[in-house]
Amino acid sequence: TSALYLFSFFPLFRQVRDRLKQQVLEMTEKFPGFRPGLAILQVGNRDDSNLYINMKLKAAAEIGISANHIKLPNTATEADVLKCIASLNSDPAVHGFIVQLPLDSNKPINTEKITNAVAPEKDVDGLSSINAGKLSRGDLGDCFIPCTPKGCMELIRQTGVQVAGKRAVVIGRSKIVGAPMHDLLLWNNATVTTCHSKTSTLAEEVGKADILVVAAGRAEMVKGEWIKPGAIVIDCGINHVPDSTKASGKRVVGDVAYNSAKEKASFITPVPGGVGPMTVAMLMQSTVESAQRFLEKFQPGKWTIQYNQLTLKMPVPSDIEISQSCIPKPIDQVAKEVGLFPDEVELYGQTKAKVQLSVLKRLQNQPDGKYVVVTGITPTPLGEGKSTTTVGLVQALGAHLHQNVFACVRQPSQGPTFGIKGGAAGGGYCQVVPMEEFNLHLTGDIHAITAANNLVAAAIDARMFHELTQSDQALYNRLVPSVNGVRKFSDIQIRRLQKLGINKTDPMALTKEEVNAFVRLDIDPGTITWQRVLDTNDRFLRKITIGQSVTEKGFSRTAQFDITVSSEIMAVLALADGLEDMKKRFGRMVVACSKKGQPVTADDLGVTGALAVLMKDAIKPNLMQTLEGTPVFVHAGPFANIAHGNSSVLADKIALKLVGKDGFVVTEAGFGADIGMEKFFNIKCRYSGLRPHVVVLVATVRALKMHGGGPAVTAGVPLPKEYTEENLQLVAKGCSNLNKQIQNARMFGVPVVVAVNAFKTDTKAELALVVQHAKEAGAFDAVECTHWAEGGKGALALARAVQRASQAPSNFRFLYNVELPVVDKIRLIAQQVYGAKDIELLPEAQEKVAVYTKQGFGNLPICMAKTHLSLSHDPEQKGAPTGFVLPIRDIRASVGAGFLYPLVGTMSTMPGLPTRPCFYDIDLDPVSGEVNGLF
């Protein structure tokens, strides 16, 4: 009786195709914008390879797989092929990847080396040694099986015959078919014999087979009479034999004599039309499986993270000792744990990396997590532990409650690190590590800002010098030079012409009047607001004279240096939501006014593009980790007085996508809630479009005693006994400041959790009193925290309170409408946030209001530059003063960053060094290379 051979198999292929097509459709619906990706790498131009590749491309297109055919010439070297493979291995859009064999190159290429270079997780051909090894030991669920054996198994299953317990014979031992077919049958519980062309009893062995798979590469080698009646025969051979009846003079046959074999077999595959199409189908199936594994592994919001176990010591060692006792995870491991792809991460050594902004596009359809801002009551000069609390909270949420959580913090300035403050990585057992990397240089962002800022400063003075020493035509000839006889405006010059209302693109077409307007910025030196910067505390640069060299021909002026983090470029970096936005903000930065009172911008100076180039890497957030192994973005560090004092919008946005809808992003606002938090809401959230879920307000008994009338607290001086002994009266009186800051947070419609940061000198009664006052003042909850000494464990109560608060109703709102007049916006902040009776604008401030309103900047948000040591303008006024008049001595504009900053009282943007700076204690061990003394 003739065999029920598996006809042309195409109906079966269609079933597989339709099933895969449905799976791909489900993937794309669940993950919009996602498609399984297959790459086929070919070397040379063999006709048979082209035919096979076209079959694969067609099948991929029918199923919905994005297939990419990469073709290298036959002159490609082994190094060329390996380079291409490395690129495809790191491409997250490629989930399946095959190298078409044979490699048709006229250069020597080791095929084994090439197939083993393919990443095992993308090796959908199953040819790498790793996949082969897993198959040989039975790890079928953790490897890719070569497509032909996989197709053969599918054909055998379609017969309905159980493989388990059957005797199987495989003829052929190649790495592509024979050897893996043996392993596949064996691990499906068949008893398997492998034969080959040298097997002396081949006919006898074939006669024993219930299942026969032939892949010997010899035309009709297996005779029909050898076959056991009722056997299943899978013929993998493709051979050409002479046939004068065919136009080509030959026909295709298998390794089995088909006509005689079909009389004895119960099922048999024809050649052609049997195994070949199923091999292609299995390639598609493996590609879809690989894409599914990829989605499972990199599913947004699904983290598998390894936390570090802390070994707590008492007394608590120094910050640097704790930091250096921790062995951080490799930063590429951290990146992988939080769902970042390899091509989205740029490593800077083992412990820090930059993250590409492209991750935002990839995750654009994913929901954001919960957004938490950490702020504080009005602090003492020692600080009350906002950074420590931020780190403690994320360690508690992550390492102890197993929530996806990111901390987003500012990068500290090198100036205070070497000056009076020391490091800013948190403290105790709540630190960003390594702290020396965090505090010193990091990835060079602040240095990039220094370079960019000073380029603008140099451009201002150079432009004034050239305009004072050259005629209009000479300036024009140099600004628009003839290159090979052709004069052409640059893009930035076209923008300046458009700003002047000159709609011409031919440099030869400008009139004399238009040339004059184009070449002369006519900067008024007295209006220059742009200063040079340096990331070092140097008080003697607060006022300098520049241009004293004889080469400057007497054109000198008084200027100054500021600390780098006060640069508007830093504020732009922190508020930009991408490269394009950053570049536009750079162009809008106002550096001075012309003698006619018109604002002069960085775009007018022609420097915008150069600034973007200098800052192209700085815009990428920096990835680090905490002591307990939770991820941290360290990015941007604008001043909290003349700027908004918050880390970058981009870091927050990326983190919110990575944590997923049930995760948390915890960021910190500089200084007290009246400054950093108010600016976080009214400036940062206004520009970012993000809406916070919870405010964490950090309070300490020490600060509340100060607000209650305690003696002055001075850095470097031992605390008076009032701060080291129980004094409930001082604490209760000082809670007026706590109450006001809770009110300030609630004013924006966000739930407030008070974190009482406990010090070893605090008593239980004092801590309980603060918690009681906080709850009575309207806090959602208030908890005692001991994270400095205990790490995340000491912030567990805080973490649980934040979780509960994040589920509470939030009705976030801004304090003011930006369309209000400048004076009204300032008055609202002064009265509602600070508790002032009114404001008083001094003459210079009144003049600036008129100027900025006339120039079109009156609708910008307000960024108050005020002391952080009091709710008022007077640092000596503690508690919650009322009835005072807030003096505004001047107003300045950061137009690129996007705010006006009124100056309340006097302040320096270039700190000085104290008598005994921190650098006295900082040293480097020349043997180990460790940094000592940093704190």
Side-chain angles (χ1 to χ4, degrees):
T1 303
S2 296
L4 292 170
Y5 65 89
L6 296 180
F7 29 93
S8 67
F9 152 81
F10 285 108
L12 180 57
F13 172 69
R14 282 196 293 270
Q15 290 176 22
V16 176
R17 181 197 62 189
D18 292 345
R19 172 171 50 82
L20 295 176
K21 191 174 182 179
Q22 181 60 34
Q23 290 175 355
V24 171
L25 181 62
E26 290 170 2
M27 276 190 240
T28 56
E29 287 175 350
K30 188 175 181 180
F31 302 97
F34 178 84
R35 284 181 70 191
L38 171 66
I40 303 172
L41 176 59
Q42 178 185 11
V43 178
N45 194 38
R46 284 174 58 116
D47 289 339
D48 54 350
S49 291
N50 291 334
L51 178 63
Y52 298 145
I53 289 170
N54 286 335
M55 290 170 57
K56 294 166 186 175
L57 294 175
K58 181 182 177 183
E62 289 175 349
I63 291 167
I65 293 171
S66 175
N68 183 21
H69 178 198
I70 301 99
K71 201 168 188 177
L72 299 180
N74 64 0
T75 56
T77 64
E78 186 173 271
D80 295 331
V81 180
L82 290 171
K83 182 179 179 181
C84 187
I85 290 173
S87 175
L88 293 168
N89 282 342
S90 63
D91 187 348
V94 173
H95 310 108
F97 170 24
I98 68 169
V99 178
Q100 184 67 41
L101 300 177
L103 299 169
D104 180 25
S105 175
N106 56 23
K107 301 288 194 302
I109 297 180
N110 184 328
T111 300
E112 184 82 2
K113 186 175 182 180
I114 295 302
T115 54
N116 278 322
V118 178
E121 66 273 15
K122 296 187 179 187
D123 175 30
V124 288
D125 248 351
L127 300 182
S128 68
S129 296
I130 290 176
N131 278 318
K134 287 182 176 181
L135 173 59
S136 69
R137 68 184 192 184
D139 296 337
L140 304 189
D142 189 35
C143 71
F144 284 112
I145 298 165
C147 298
T148 298
K150 188 174 183 180
C152 292
M153 281 303 300
E154 185 64 26
L155 290 168
I156 294 168
R157 288 191 190 100
Q158 289 298 319
T159 68
V161 174
Q162 291 293 318
V163 175
K166 296 293 188 294
R167 182 181 292 275
V169 171
V170 178
I171 302 178
R173 50 187 171 178
S174 73
K175 296 176 183 177
I176 296 175
V177 182
M181 192 71 235
H182 172 281
D183 294 336
L184 197 53
L185 286 163
L186 179 67
W187 293 112
N188 277 274
N189 300 307
T191 301
V192 188
T193 301
T194 297
C195 300
H196 43 80
S197 60
K198 301 289 192 248
T199 302
S200 60
T201 58
L202 185 58
E204 181 182 338
E205 296 297 337
V206 168
K208 300 174 184 176
D210 301 311
I211 299 169
L212 176 65
V213 181
V214 187
R218 291 194 177 186
E220 301 183 328
M221 171 185 178
V222 175
K223 310 305 178 185
E225 56 269 23
W226 297 358
I227 295 172
K228 180 180 179 180
I232 297 170
V233 179
I234 308 295
D235 188 352
C236 303
I238 298 180
N239 308 282
H240 293 90
V241 295
D243 189 339
S244 59
T245 66
K246 301 292 182 181
S248 63
K250 56 187 178 181
R251 60 187 171 89
V252 176
V253 298
D255 289 353
V256 178
Y258 179 78
N259 288 327
S260 57
K262 71 179 182 179
E263 301 300 323
K264 304 211 36 194
S266 59
F267 294 90
I268 186 169
T269 56
V271 178
V275 172
M278 190 53 106
T279 298
V280 175
M282 292 302 102
L283 174 63
M284 300 302 116
Q285 181 169 306
S286 292
T287 302
V288 172
E289 288 172 359
S290 182
Q292 289 170 331
R293 292 178 191 176
F294 174 86
L295 287 174
E296 180 68 21
K297 188 176 182 181
F298 290 102
Q299 187 173 334
K302 185 174 181 179
W303 293 5
T304 302
I305 190 165
Q306 172 190 325
Y307 298 107
N308 296 333
Q309 190 77 30
L310 294 178
T311 302
L312 304 177
K313 293 183 180 179
M314 291 298 290
V316 177
S318 70
D319 290 349
I320 188 72
E321 287 180 74
I322 294 172
S323 175
Q324 292 179 345
S325 69
C326 164
I327 301 176
K329 295 178 289 187
I331 201 64
D332 57 342
Q333 178 185 333
V334 177
K336 186 176 181 181
E337 288 174 342
V338 301
L340 289 165
F341 296 164
D343 70 328
E344 293 171 340
V345 180
E346 297 174 9
L347 302 180
Y348 280 65
Q350 293 294 310
T351 56
K352 53 192 177 181
K354 280 198 165 290
V355 174
Q356 296 275 6
L357 305 188
S358 59
V359 67
L360 275 175
K361 184 176 180 182
R362 174 171 66 87
L363 299 177
Q364 61 186 336
N365 295 310
Q366 301 304 318
D368 288 346
K370 306 291 186 182
Y371 198 25
V372 180
V373 60
V374 176
T375 184
I377 64 172
T378 305
T380 69
L382 305 178
E384 308 317 308
K386 290 195 309 299
S387 298
T388 305
T389 302
T390 299
V391 176
L393 174 56
V394 298
Q395 290 183 163
L397 284 166
H400 298 268
L401 298 181
H402 304 292
Q403 299 289 304
N404 292 353
V405 62
F406 241 105
C408 292
V409 299
R410 289 184 293 168
Q411 179 183 353
S413 167
Q414 179 182 284
T417 298
F418 284 126
I420 194 170
K421 184 179 178 183
Y429 286 102
C430 297
Q431 296 185 52
V432 181
V433 291
M435 70 168 294
E436 57 269 40
E437 298 285 348
F438 177 89
N439 286 302
L440 303 175
H441 303 299
L442 196 57
T443 56
D445 293 351
I446 292 181
H447 301 317
I449 293 167
T450 302
N453 183 98
N454 292 344
L455 179 62
V456 177
I460 293 168
D461 289 303
R463 185 58 175 263
M464 288 195 299
F465 174 79
H466 292 309
E467 287 187 24
L468 288 166
T469 57
Q470 296 181 51
S471 66
D472 288 356
Q473 193 58 47
L475 280 169
Y476 192 58
N477 290 342
R478 287 176 171 83
L479 286 170
V480 193
S482 175
V483 179
N484 297 324
V486 178
R487 299 181 77 172
K488 184 180 178 182
F489 291 122
S490 66
D491 290 344
I492 202 166
Q493 289 175 328
I494 293 288
R495 290 202 297 272
R496 172 151 174 79
L497 288 168
Q498 291 170 344
K499 179 180 177 180
L500 293 169
I502 303 171
N503 296 313
K504 296 178 180 178
T505 57
D506 181 1
M508 305 304 293
L510 268 63
T511 66
K512 286 186 178 181
E513 292 76 14
E514 288 170 339
V515 167
N516 174 268
F518 174 75
V519 301
R520 297 213 174 266
L521 300 180
D522 204 21
I523 294 171
D524 179 354
T527 66
I528 295 173
T529 55
W530 196 271
Q531 309 298 343
R532 288 164 172 81
V533 298
L534 187 69
D535 194 33
T536 301
N537 289 8
D538 191 344
R539 66 192 312 130
F540 287 94
L541 294 177
R542 289 172 179 170
K543 189 172 184 179
I544 60 172
T545 302
I546 61 173
Q548 292 189 339
S549 169
V550 294
T551 56
E552 275 38 82
K553 303 179 182 179
F555 296 111
S556 64
R557 67 179 182 91
T558 300
Q560 69 185 58
F561 269 82
D562 295 334
I563 193 90
T564 296
V565 292
S566 70
S567 169
E568 185 176 352
I569 290 178
M570 174 65 89
V572 167
L573 175 68
L575 289 170
D577 68 1
L579 272 169
E580 184 178 356
D581 182 49
M582 181 177 71
K583 186 176 175 182
K584 288 178 179 177
R585 288 174 180 269
F586 285 158
R588 293 196 298 265
M589 294 188 305
V590 174
V591 300
C593 287
S594 71
K595 291 172 183 174
K596 292 180 180 179
Q598 295 299 311
V600 176
T601 66
D603 226 34
D604 292 326
L605 288 167
V607 75
T608 304
L611 297 180
V613 169
L614 286 171
M615 294 293 293
K616 67 180 178 64
D617 292 318
I619 197 173
K620 304 166 191 171
N622 304 295
L623 180 65
M624 295 188 75
Q625 63 191 291
T626 67
L627 282 167
E628 295 192 51
T630 59
V632 181
F633 274 139
V634 185
H635 198 218
F639 255 25
N641 46 31
I642 69 165
H644 62 292
N646 287 266
S647 59
S648 79
V649 165
L650 280 168
D652 291 359
K653 285 189 171 184
I654 293 173
L656 284 164
K657 293 297 183 187
L658 288 170
V659 298
K661 66 182 179 66
D662 297 320
F664 291 82
V665 171
V666 182
T667 190
E668 177 192 344
F671 293 156
D674 55 309
I675 300 179
M677 182 196 70
E678 181 271 316
K679 295 173 182 180
F680 171 82
F681 289 144
N682 282 321
I683 298 175
K684 184 175 181 181
C685 290
R686 194 184 298 270
Y687 282 121
S688 70
L690 300 173
R691 298 294 178 261
H693 293 82
V694 184
V695 170
V696 173
L697 184 70
V698 180
T700 63
V701 168
R702 178 179 68 192
L704 293 173
K705 285 181 175 180
M706 178 192 71
H707 288 298
V713 175
T714 306
V717 177
L719 288 171
K721 64 181 179 62
E722 287 85 350
Y723 295 97
T724 57
E725 297 175 0
E726 184 174 286
N727 192 323
L728 297 177
Q729 184 178 358
L730 276 182
V731 174
K733 188 177 178 184
C735 279
S736 62
N737 186 273
L738 173 63
N739 295 351
K740 175 58 178 166
Q741 298 289 32
I742 291 172
Q743 177 189 329
N744 284 341
R746 294 187 67 200
M747 187 189 310
F748 292 90
V750 184
V752 184
V753 175
V754 173
V756 186
N757 189 16
F759 294 171
K760 62 182 180 181
T761 54
D762 301 339
T763 68
K764 290 210 171 285
E766 289 173 331
L767 294 168
L769 183 61
V770 178
V771 168
Q772 177 190 335
H773 270 275
K775 291 179 178 178
E776 290 173 354
F780 178 89
D781 202 352
V783 295
E784 176 188 338
C785 304
T786 54
H787 46 275
W788 179 80
E790 296 183 295
K793 177 185 173 184
L796 270 171
L798 174 61
R800 292 190 177 105
V802 166
Q803 282 182 307
R804 293 194 301 273
S806 71
Q807 302 300 323
S810 178
N811 185 28
F812 176 71
R813 54 191 173 270
F814 298 119
L815 179 63
Y816 55 81
N817 187 322
V818 289
E819 300 301 326
L820 287 173
V822 173
V823 174
D824 290 353
K825 288 182 284 192
I826 297 172
R827 182 177 288 111
L828 271 171
I829 295 172
Q831 293 178 335
Q832 298 295 316
V833 179
Y834 306 156
K837 178 182 178 182
D838 204 352
I839 61 172
E840 178 188 9
L841 268 68
L842 301 184
E844 193 170 357
Q846 293 177 21
E847 181 185 341
K848 291 293 182 61
V849 169
V851 168
Y852 293 143
T853 303
K854 181 181 178 182
Q855 292 178 339
F857 307 140
N859 62 349
L860 292 175
I862 300 298
C863 182
M864 300 290 283
K866 179 187 79 70
T867 178
H868 63 292
L869 297 175
S870 171
L871 280 163
S872 75
H873 57 287
D874 181 359
E876 299 305 316
Q877 289 194 48
K878 304 302 182 183
T882 58
F884 59 92
V885 176
L886 191 76
I888 311 297
R889 69 175 179 87
D890 194 4
I891 301 176
R892 295 177 186 168
S894 287
V895 179
F899 51 74
L900 302 178
Y901 58 100
L903 302 180
V904 181
T906 58
M907 63 189 64
S908 172
T909 48
M910 172 53 82
L913 291 172
T915 305
R916 192 184 191 281
C918 292
F919 59 64
Y920 272 76
D921 301 304
I922 298 173
D923 200 0
L924 183 72
D925 186 318
V927 177
S928 68
E930 285 190 345
V931 175
N932 299 318
L934 190 64
F935 61 90

Coordinates of all heavy atoms in Angstrom, one line a residue, residues 46 68 72 116 135 138 181 247 269 289 325 352 398 400 443 457 485 529 536 548 550 598 609 654 657 687 811:
R46 N 26.2 33.7 -4.4 CA 25.9 32.4 -4.9 C 24.4 32.3 -5.3 O 23.5 32.8 -4.6 CB 26.2 31.3 -3.9 CG 27.6 30.9 -3.8 CD 27.8 29.9 -2.6 NE 27.1 28.7 -2.9 CZ 27.6 27.5 -3.0 NH1 29.0 27.4 -3.1 NH2 26.9 26.4 -3.2
N68 N 15.9 41.8 7.4 CA 16.9 42.6 6.8 C 18.0 41.7 6.2 O 18.6 40.9 6.9 CB 17.5 43.5 7.9 CG 18.6 44.5 7.4 OD1 18.6 44.8 6.2 ND2 19.4 45.0 8.3
L72 N 27.5 41.1 2.0 CA 28.9 41.5 1.9 C 29.5 41.0 0.6 O 29.1 39.9 0.2 CB 29.7 41.0 3.1 CG 29.3 41.5 4.5 CD1 30.2 40.9 5.6 CD2 29.3 43.0 4.6
N116 N 30.0 30.8 15.6 CA 30.1 31.0 17.1 C 30.2 32.4 17.5 O 30.0 32.7 18.7 CB 31.4 30.3 17.6 CG 31.1 28.8 17.8 OD1 30.0 28.4 18.2 ND2 32.1 28.0 17.5
L135 N 21.6 21.7 23.5 CA 20.8 20.7 22.9 C 21.3 19.3 23.2 O 20.5 18.4 23.6 CB 20.7 20.9 21.3 CG 20.0 19.8 20.5 CD1 18.6 19.6 21.0 CD2 20.1 20.1 19.0
G138 N 20.2 18.3 26.6 CA 18.8 18.2 26.8 C 18.1 19.5 27.3 O 16.9 19.5 27.7
M181 N 19.8 16.3 15.0 CA 18.6 15.4 14.9 C 18.7 14.2 15.8 O 17.7 13.9 16.4 CB 18.5 14.9 13.4 CG 17.2 14.3 13.1 SD 15.8 15.4 13.0 CE 14.7 14.7 14.1
A247 N 14.4 20.3 -19.0 CA 15.0 21.4 -19.8 C 16.4 21.7 -19.3 O 17.3 22.0 -20.1 CB 14.1 22.6 -19.7
T269 N 8.3 12.0 3.3 CA 8.4 13.4 2.7 C 8.9 13.3 1.3 O 9.9 12.7 1.0 CB 9.3 14.3 3.6 OG1 10.6 13.7 3.7 CG2 8.7 14.4 5.0
E289 N 9.9 33.2 18.4 CA 10.2 32.7 19.8 C 11.3 33.6 20.4 O 11.2 34.0 21.6 CB 10.7 31.3 19.8 CG 9.6 30.3 19.5 CD 10.2 28.9 19.3 OE1 11.4 28.7 19.4 OE2 9.4 27.9 19.1
S325 N 33.9 50.2 51.1 CA 33.7 48.8 51.6 C 32.7 48.1 50.7 O 32.6 46.8 50.8 CB 33.3 48.8 53.0 OG 31.9 49.3 53.2
K352 N 29.9 53.7 36.1 CA 29.1 54.8 35.7 C 28.9 54.7 34.2 O 29.8 54.1 33.5 CB 29.7 56.1 36.1 CG 31.1 56.3 35.6 CD 31.8 57.5 36.3 CE 33.3 57.6 35.8 NZ 34.0 58.7 36.4
G398 N 13.2 49.6 47.0 CA 13.8 48.6 46.0 C 14.3 47.4 46.7 O 13.7 46.3 46.6
H400 N 14.2 46.3 49.8 CA 13.4 45.7 50.9 C 11.9 45.5 50.5 O 11.4 44.5 50.9 CB 13.5 46.6 52.1 CG 14.9 46.8 52.7 ND1 15.4 45.9 53.6 CD2 15.9 47.6 52.3 CE1 16.7 46.3 53.8 NE2 17.0 47.3 53.1
T443 N 31.2 62.1 34.7 CA 31.5 61.8 33.2 C 31.9 63.1 32.5 O 31.9 63.1 31.3 CB 30.3 61.2 32.5 OG1 29.2 62.0 32.7 CG2 30.0 59.8 33.1
A457 N 31.3 83.5 26.5 CA 31.9 84.7 27.1 C 33.0 85.2 26.1 O 33.1 86.4 25.9 CB 32.5 84.4 28.4
G485 N 35.5 81.2 -4.4 CA 34.7 82.2 -5.2 C 33.3 82.2 -4.9 O 32.5 82.9 -5.6
T529 N 25.3 90.4 30.9 CA 25.0 89.6 32.1 C 25.7 88.2 32.1 O 25.6 87.5 33.0 CB 23.5 89.3 32.1 OG1 23.1 88.8 30.9 CG2 22.7 90.6 32.4
T536 N 35.5 75.8 40.6 CA 36.4 75.8 41.8 C 36.0 77.1 42.6 O 35.7 78.1 42.0 CB 37.9 75.9 41.4 OG1 38.2 74.8 40.6 CG2 38.8 76.0 42.6
Q548 N 43.5 93.5 29.4 CA 44.6 94.4 29.8 C 45.8 94.1 28.9 O 46.8 94.9 29.0 CB 45.0 94.1 31.3 CG 43.9 94.6 32.2 CD 44.3 94.6 33.7 OE1 45.3 93.9 34.0 NE2 43.7 95.4 34.5
V550 N 48.2 94.3 25.7 CA 48.3 95.4 24.7 C 47.7 95.0 23.4 O 47.3 95.9 22.6 CB 49.8 95.7 24.4 CG1 50.5 96.3 25.7 CG2 50.6 94.4 24.0
Q598 N 17.9 96.3 22.6 CA 17.5 95.1 22.0 C 18.3 93.9 22.7 O 19.5 94.0 22.8 CB 17.6 95.0 20.5 CG 16.7 96.0 19.8 CD 15.2 95.8 20.1 OE1 14.7 94.6 20.0 NE2 14.5 96.8 20.5
G609 N 25.1 76.4 17.6 CA 25.5 75.1 17.1 C 26.7 74.5 17.8 O 26.8 73.4 18.2
I654 N 13.0 59.5 31.6 CA 13.5 58.2 31.3 C 13.3 57.2 32.5 O 12.8 56.1 32.3 CB 15.0 58.2 31.0 CG1 15.3 59.0 29.7 CG2 15.6 56.8 30.8 CD1 16.7 59.2 29.3
K657 N 9.6 56.0 32.8 CA 9.3 55.0 31.8 C 9.9 53.6 32.2 O 9.3 52.6 32.1 CB 9.8 55.4 30.4 CG 9.1 56.6 29.8 CD 7.7 56.3 29.5 CE 7.0 57.5 28.8 NZ 5.5 57.3 28.7
Y687 N 7.4 72.9 32.7 CA 8.1 72.7 31.5 C 8.1 71.2 31.1 O 8.0 70.8 29.9 CB 9.5 73.2 31.5 CG 9.7 74.7 31.3 CD1 10.3 75.5 32.3 CD2 9.2 75.3 30.2 CE1 10.3 76.9 32.1 CE2 9.2 76.7 30.0 CZ 9.8 77.4 30.9 OH 9.9 78.8 30.8
N811 N -4.4 66.4 43.4 CA -5.0 67.5 42.6 C -4.0 68.6 42.3 O -4.1 69.7 42.8 CB -6.3 68.0 43.2 CG -7.0 69.0 42.3 OD1 -6.9 69.0 41.1 ND2 -7.7 70.0 43.0

